Amino acid sequence: MSSPRTKYRSKAANRSVSADWSAYSASYDLLSKHNPEYQALLQGFEAFLDSIETPQIIYDIGGGTGNYTEIAARACPDSEIHFVEPDTNMNRSAQSKLAAYKNITYDNRTLQDIDATGTADLVICIHALYAMPAPEQRLADLRRLLRPGGCLYLIDIGRYMNVPDWRSYLFASVKKELGLIGALRVFWQGREIAKQNKSILEAQKKGVYWTHTETEFASLVAQNGFEIVRQQSVYRDHSDLLVCRAIS
């Protein structure tokens, strides 16, 4: 069970307090490209794929603009990959980005509406679970997709989105890379991201989006039929990464 500190969206929560993911999608890749922490997550996932037997069936749940699916499609060209993203603009951006890969199918349903059971060798879910309704039930849905022994690669934002801190960090990183004028240009083009991150923070504070500690997160994952193989704090300690195996 979740502790008093664990927050997630309930039936009573104000669902109007949330990010506009369609607006977010337009600038998402721009800032992600210049975010060292985000790039480190991508590199970590690529290294993970190199360390395991090639999965035959892969699901990317809440796949956003398709960055993790792109890595999977490149590393596993013979795998059957299902990209699942309910936001129309996010899904459209991913399809455009991934057009060259022929082993991907696209689905705009929510996780709970995906009817596959016990078929996936690998499920990927990156920075998506916290924004879903009833995360404990969604963890059960992630488990449902996997065959026994299948792998879940899960990263979730658990702590409050510290918008000013992230802005300072990213501006310094982009300025180092592109200079002052280049950084100002990138931040102007990506100004929608700051707006939506503020909405994420508001939703976290109101309990619409889930927040959790590392211990709370691991406990809930384990309760839903997973053995935790690896756990670490990532993304400047805002997120938790878990590599899990589905228990028979």
Side-chain angles (χ1 to χ4, degrees), residues 185-202:
R185 183 181 299 112
V186 167
F187 267 68
W188 174 253
Q189 293 172 341
R191 59 192 180 279
E192 185 65 35
I193 294 295
K195 178 181 177 181
Q196 297 308 321
N197 282 343
K198 290 179 181 178
S199 296
I200 291 172
L201 175 60
E202 182 181 359

Side-chain angles (χ1 to χ4, degrees), residues 141-178:
D141 287 327
L142 293 173
R143 172 62 188 88
R144 171 175 54 80
L145 293 176
L146 284 160
R147 64 167 177 78
C151 188
L152 172 64
Y153 193 90
L154 177 63
I155 302 177
D156 201 52
I157 293 176
R159 271 65 78 190
Y160 283 165
M161 177 71 70
N162 189 331
V163 178
D165 179 66
W166 270 108
R167 185 188 296 116
S168 297
Y169 168 77
L170 288 173
F171 190 82
S173 296
V174 179
K175 181 181 176 183
K176 183 178 180 180
E177 178 187 0
L178 301 178

Side-chain angles (χ1 to χ4, degrees), residues 5-226:
R5 288 190 59 193
T6 306
K7 298 181 181 179
Y8 58 89
R9 185 187 295 177
S10 66
K11 292 182 179 179
N14 182 1
R15 292 172 182 260
S16 66
V17 180
S18 62
D20 181 344
W21 300 113
S22 289
Y24 202 83
S25 68
S27 302
Y28 184 81
D29 284 343
L30 174 66
L31 282 188
S32 296
K33 177 182 178 182
H34 299 288
N35 182 346
E37 290 292 321
Y38 185 84
Q39 293 302 312
L41 294 184
L42 293 178
Q43 292 163 14
F45 177 63
E46 190 167 12
F48 163 76
L49 286 180
D50 287 341
S51 72
I52 63 172
E53 182 178 344
T54 301
Q56 295 304 302
I57 299 178
I58 302 171
Y59 279 80
D60 186 357
I61 302 297
T65 59
N67 293 325
Y68 283 80
T69 290
E70 184 173 27
I71 292 172
R74 185 170 61 244
C76 310
D78 297 324
S79 298
E80 175 186 321
I81 303 176
H82 299 265
F83 174 86
V84 180
E85 173 52 63
D87 182 82
T88 300
N89 284 357
M90 288 276 194
N91 203 306
R92 186 181 297 121
S93 294
Q95 290 190 45
S96 176
K97 178 187 299 180
L98 303 172
Y101 299 99
K102 306 307 179 185
N103 59 334
I104 305 170
T105 59
Y106 301 90
D107 199 319
N108 63 0
R109 291 179 293 175
T110 61
L111 169 58
Q112 55 267 40
D113 291 329
I114 302 298
D115 52 10
T117 300
T119 60
D121 300 292
L122 171 64
V123 171
I124 310 157
C125 186
I126 310 296
H127 286 164
L129 183 64
Y130 77 97
M132 296 181 189
E136 184 170 1
Q137 295 174 35
R138 302 295 74 81
L139 280 168
D141 287 327
L142 293 173
R143 172 62 188 88
R144 171 175 54 80
L145 293 176
L146 284 160
R147 64 167 177 78
C151 188
L152 172 64
Y153 193 90
L154 177 63
I155 302 177
D156 201 52
I157 293 176
R159 271 65 78 190
Y160 283 165
M161 177 71 70
N162 189 331
V163 178
D165 179 66
W166 270 108
R167 185 188 296 116
S168 297
Y169 168 77
L170 288 173
F171 190 82
S173 296
V174 179
K175 181 181 176 183
K176 183 178 180 180
E177 178 187 0
L178 301 178
L180 177 59
I181 300 302
L184 291 171
R185 183 181 299 112
V186 167
F187 267 68
W188 174 253
Q189 293 172 341
R191 59 192 180 279
E192 185 65 35
I193 294 295
K195 178 181 177 181
Q196 297 308 321
N197 282 343
K198 290 179 181 178
S199 296
I200 291 172
L201 175 60
E202 182 181 359
Q204 287 177 317
K205 288 182 175 180
K206 291 182 179 295
V208 178
Y209 289 166
W210 186 29
T211 59
H212 49 73
T213 67
E214 295 176 72
T215 301
E216 291 165 346
F217 189 48
S219 176
L220 194 56
V221 169
Q223 289 174 40
N224 279 276
F226 292 101

